[in-house]
């Protein structure tokens, strides 16, 4: 996934159940919120771009809550995650360490462009998120 380079900055991932969000899924670069029906995980809402870090002396930094990108089946989870990581690898800011996290890429591009780029890497259109939430 990394190719010849590492990601531009740290990258946090998490998985949560709707009734047990002890990791605070909305604060992760990449989060997977299980969608549970009849006691069984049927898929995941994929959340992107969260991060609580901010540098008080750098106005260009900010806290961001992750946004719902798509709903995926369990079989799609790893390939979609790989596409997201590759987009961050290839387009994350390497010039400014303070703006190297995924939240800044999504802020600068907007979620529609980010999603379209992930779709290009994944090879097909992504579904809308499921209404399930924490």
């Amino acid at each position: 996934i990394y190719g010849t380079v590492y990601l531009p900055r740290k990258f946090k991932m998490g998985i949560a159940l709707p009734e047990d969000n002890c990791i605070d899924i909305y604060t992760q670069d990449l989060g997977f919120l299980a969608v549970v029906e009849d006691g069984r995980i049927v898929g995941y809402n994929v959340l992107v771009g969260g991060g609580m870090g901010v540098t008080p002396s750098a106005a260009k930094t900010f806290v961001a809550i992750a946004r719902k990108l798509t709903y995926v089946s369990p079989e799609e989870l790893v390939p979609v995650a790989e596409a997201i990581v590759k987009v961050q690898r290839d387009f994350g800011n390497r010039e400014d360490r303070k703006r190297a996290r995924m939240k800044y890429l999504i802020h600068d591009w907007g979620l529609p462009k980010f999603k379209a780029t992930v779709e290009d890497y994944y090879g097909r259109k992504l579904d809308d998120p499921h209404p399930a939430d924490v």
Side-chain angles (χ1 to χ4, degrees):
I1 292 174
Y2 288 151
T4 59
V5 296
Y6 289 115
L7 294 173
R9 188 84 167 94
K10 62 187 169 185
F11 190 88
K12 297 179 181 181
M13 287 185 5
I15 301 173
L17 293 167
E19 69 277 3
D20 182 13
N21 184 26
C22 63
I23 64 161
D24 200 354
I25 197 77
Y26 282 91
T27 66
Q28 309 295 316
D29 290 285
L30 177 57
F32 302 105
L33 181 63
V35 175
V36 180
E37 294 176 359
D38 298 322
R40 190 175 141 263
I41 296 174
V42 295
Y44 298 86
N45 271 335
V46 179
L47 297 99
V48 293
M52 302 308 289
V54 64
T55 303
S57 62
K60 62 187 172 185
T61 67
F62 52 82
V63 170
I65 301 300
R67 298 168 65 187
K68 288 182 182 178
L69 182 71
T70 187
Y71 169 82
V72 297
S73 69
E75 297 76 29
E76 296 170 299
L77 184 73
V78 172
V80 169
E82 183 175 335
I84 292 166
V85 170
K86 286 179 177 179
V87 169
Q88 174 63 5
R89 174 198 69 196
D90 294 347
F91 298 100
N93 188 331
R94 292 182 183 278
E95 303 300 317
D96 184 352
R97 180 184 166 125
K98 297 220 180 283
R99 287 191 43 90
R101 299 283 300 275
M102 184 184 292
K103 65 183 177 179
Y104 299 110
L105 179 61
I106 292 171
H107 173 77
D108 293 345
W109 279 8
L111 192 61
K113 178 178 177 179
F114 182 83
K115 184 174 184 177
T117 307
V118 171
E119 290 170 340
D120 288 344
Y121 277 66
Y122 181 53
R124 77 167 184 82
K125 186 169 173 28
L126 296 173
D127 295 331
D128 290 333
H130 190 278
D133 209 346
V134 173

